[in-house]
Amino acid sequence: MKLITLKHRYDYGHDWYAQILHTKNWALLQGSVSWNDYASWPYLQIKCGCGGMISVVFWVYKFGIDLGLIERTWNWDAMHQYFDGKEEKDVQHTS
């Protein structure tokens, strides 16, 4: 178990992540702050269940905040390995 992990990721904008008291699969508290390249309509999303106890997403223009309590961890390395492997299997090569 790790106490705190801080990360930055660039994917159509800057995302800064913080995870507090987390294992490989679960986090007690995690959140992110984003400044994206593309604007969006404002929205608020509150979710319970489906991989976490409670999750709140707030977005205005290019700015976003995401907070989660007792959720599955955001593990981008694992996601890239999964999707990269899946893409290779799904692609059919023709001669």
Side-chain angles (χ1 to χ4, degrees):
M1 179 175 285
K2 294 183 181 179
L3 182 60
I4 296 175
T5 300
L6 302 171
K7 290 188 178 182
H8 173 264
R9 180 172 186 252
Y10 184 83
D11 184 20
Y12 297 105
H14 294 277
D15 301 319
W16 294 272
Y17 299 94
Q19 296 173 321
I20 299 172
L21 287 176
H22 67 94
T23 63
K24 182 179 178 183
N25 298 317
W26 290 94
L28 177 65
L29 179 65
Q30 59 186 357
S32 72
V33 176
S34 305
W35 184 260
N36 295 289
D37 293 341
Y38 302 99
S40 176
W41 288 96
Y43 68 88
L44 174 67
Q45 173 184 329
I46 301 172
K47 177 177 76 167
C48 295
C50 191
M53 184 174 193
I54 188 164
S55 176
V56 178
V57 177
F58 177 70
W59 186 287
V60 176
Y61 184 60
K62 293 184 176 187
F63 177 74
I65 295 176
D66 187 341
L67 297 172
L69 179 65
I70 307 176
E71 275 192 322
R72 291 198 176 271
T73 57
W74 301 323
N75 186 344
W76 298 111
D77 297 332
M79 289 175 60
H80 286 297
Q81 288 173 0
Y82 172 77
F83 287 118
D84 290 344
K86 190 171 183 85
E87 287 175 6
E88 288 176 10
K89 290 178 190 173
D90 292 343
V91 174
Q92 295 180 358
H93 299 282
T94 56
S95 303

